[in-house]
Amino acid sequence: MGKNESARSNRGSDSQTELSERMLQQSLRVSWRGLAAEVNRVLEFRAFSLWTRAIIEIEGSIPDSVLASIEGRCPGSGMRKRGNHDLGSLWTDLLAWSEQFVFTESKAGGWIEAAHYYSGLDPRSEQIWLHMERSVSEWSEKRPTHYPEFTEWWKTAPAPSFEIPPATLDEAIEAIAFSYWAVLLLAVGDQESSLQDKIESRCPSFLTNHPIPPSNDADAVARFRSAMEAYLLAGHEDSQRVKAAAMNHLRTIRIKAYFDACLDHVQIPPFQVWLQQADEFVVSP
C-alpha cells in the first residue's frame, strides 16, 4: 500500500471510529432495552418499505392492496394522492415519513441516529434486503396471482445463518459482564483473597494458570480479563460465533460503557447488582 493509500485508509478508520463513538454516546440516552425495541421497530418498518418496493417493481404501479396496507400503517402519509407518480422513491419516502411520525420518541430524545446505526449492524438488516431481492427475482419469473400481505412476507424472511438461542446468548453476555466486573474489583483494590474467592466461585481452577495481575499494569489486566472471558465462553458449542454474537449485542455494548463509567468508583457492588445497574445505565444529554 502506498503512502497516499495508507493515509486514506487511516482517515477512513478514524472516521469509522468517530462515528461508532458518537453513536455510542447518543445511544446512552436510553436504556439498552429501549434502544433494542426501537431497533426492532426500525427493522420492521424498513422491511415494510422494501415489501412495497418489491411489489411495485413487478407491477409498475401501486396495487390497491398495497395502498390499503400503507394507509393502515402510515395514516396521513398521502401516498394514495400521489397515484403512480415517482414510484421509484415511494419506499424511501415511507422511511422519511416514519422519521417524523413513527419514531417520535427517539427523534425527540436525540437518539434516532443511533437506532438507525445499530439497526444497520444487526444481521437481520442484510436478511431483509436479500429477502426483497429474492422476492423480486421469484416474482419476475412467475408473477403471482396475489402478493403476500406484509406480515406473511415478513414471517418468511430467512433468519440469519447462525442464530444463538436466547438463553445461550444471555449466559454468554453475563459471562462477559462477569469478566469486566472482576477486573473492576481489581481496579478499586479489592482484597486479593476476597477477589480470588469471587473468581474461583465462577471460574474454578482459572487462577491456577492465570494469577491475578498487578492492578497498575493495564496491559496485564486486559489480558487477564480476556483470558477469563475465553474461559467462561469455552464451554459453548461453536464458542467463537457465540462470543461474536454476544460481543455485538446491545446489552454487551452497554455493559462495556458502564464498565468505563465505573473505573473511578470507590466501591463496586455484588455482581448481580452491578449487572442490573449496567442494564439500566443511561446518560443525560
Side-chain angles (χ1 to χ4, degrees):
M1 182 181 291
K3 182 178 179 181
N4 291 339
E5 287 82 357
S6 178
R8 281 195 293 269
S9 177
N10 288 336
R11 284 198 299 271
S13 177
D14 290 344
S15 176
Q16 185 60 40
T17 300
E18 290 173 5
L19 174 63
S20 178
E21 180 60 27
R22 184 164 63 87
M23 292 299 97
L24 171 61
Q25 294 306 315
Q26 192 181 111
S27 75
L28 293 180
R29 298 174 185 176
V30 61
S31 70
W32 79 264
R33 289 186 178 90
L35 178 61
E38 194 77 333
V39 164
N40 287 339
R41 295 176 70 211
V42 168
L43 288 170
E44 182 172 348
F45 204 93
R46 187 179 301 155
F48 177 75
S49 70
L50 289 174
W51 169 76
T52 67
R53 172 180 170 169
I55 295 175
I56 289 170
E57 192 167 324
I58 299 299
E59 291 295 314
S61 62
I62 312 177
D64 287 341
S65 59
V66 174
L67 272 174
S69 292
I70 292 174
E71 290 175 340
R73 189 172 289 259
C74 315
S77 61
M79 294 299 165
R80 183 175 289 276
K81 294 179 181 178
R82 69 190 288 165
N84 290 320
H85 302 291
D86 302 321
L87 293 180
S89 66
L90 185 142
W91 73 282
T92 54
D93 291 343
L94 285 173
L95 294 176
W97 181 88
S98 73
E99 289 273 331
Q100 299 296 321
F101 301 102
V102 177
F103 306 112
T104 53
E105 182 180 351
S106 53
K107 186 175 179 65
W111 48 278
I112 181 65
E113 287 182 310
H116 284 299
Y117 174 76
Y118 287 108
S119 72
L121 298 180
D122 192 298
R124 292 172 294 173
S125 183
E126 182 180 9
Q127 293 302 118
I128 292 167
W129 189 270
L130 292 175
H131 189 43
M132 183 274 294
E133 291 181 332
R134 280 191 293 267
S135 297
V136 170
S137 177
E138 291 172 5
W139 296 342
S140 295
E141 292 182 6
K142 185 178 180 181
R143 197 166 179 167
T145 55
H146 74 280
Y147 294 96
E149 294 290 333
F150 169 66
T151 52
E152 178 186 351
W153 182 83
W154 177 228
K155 288 178 181 178
T156 61
S161 57
F162 184 80
E163 275 202 309
I164 312 294
T168 299
L169 189 58
D170 286 344
E171 183 181 328
I173 291 170
E174 292 196 14
I176 294 169
F178 182 85
S179 73
Y180 278 103
W181 174 79
V183 298
L184 269 181
L185 296 182
L186 180 59
V188 301
D190 196 359
Q191 293 296 318
E192 185 171 331
S193 60
S194 174
L195 181 57
Q196 286 178 344
D197 291 342
K198 290 166 184 172
I199 292 175
E200 286 287 353
S201 68
R202 188 152 186 153
C203 311
S205 77
F206 172 76
L207 293 176
T208 302
N209 297 316
H210 302 89
I212 296 174
S215 61
N216 60 356
D217 188 338
D219 290 340
V221 170
R223 289 193 298 271
F224 180 77
R225 192 208 64 78
S226 181
M228 189 185 306
E229 177 183 279
Y231 173 94
L232 288 166
L233 296 177
H236 292 289
E237 184 179 352
D238 206 340
S239 60
Q240 288 303 311
R241 289 198 182 188
V242 170
K243 177 180 177 179
M247 292 298 292
N248 291 324
H249 196 278
L250 291 175
R251 188 184 183 194
T252 305
I253 292 170
R254 185 58 49 89
I255 286 167
K256 291 165 66 177
Y258 189 58
F259 166 81
D260 290 336
C262 289
L263 285 172
D264 59 353
H265 288 194
V266 176
Q267 291 185 319
I268 305 300
F271 173 62
Q272 290 299 333
V273 175
W274 183 83
L275 182 59
Q276 182 178 350
Q277 291 173 349
D279 284 338
E280 297 171 354
F281 178 54
V282 294
V283 175
S284 299

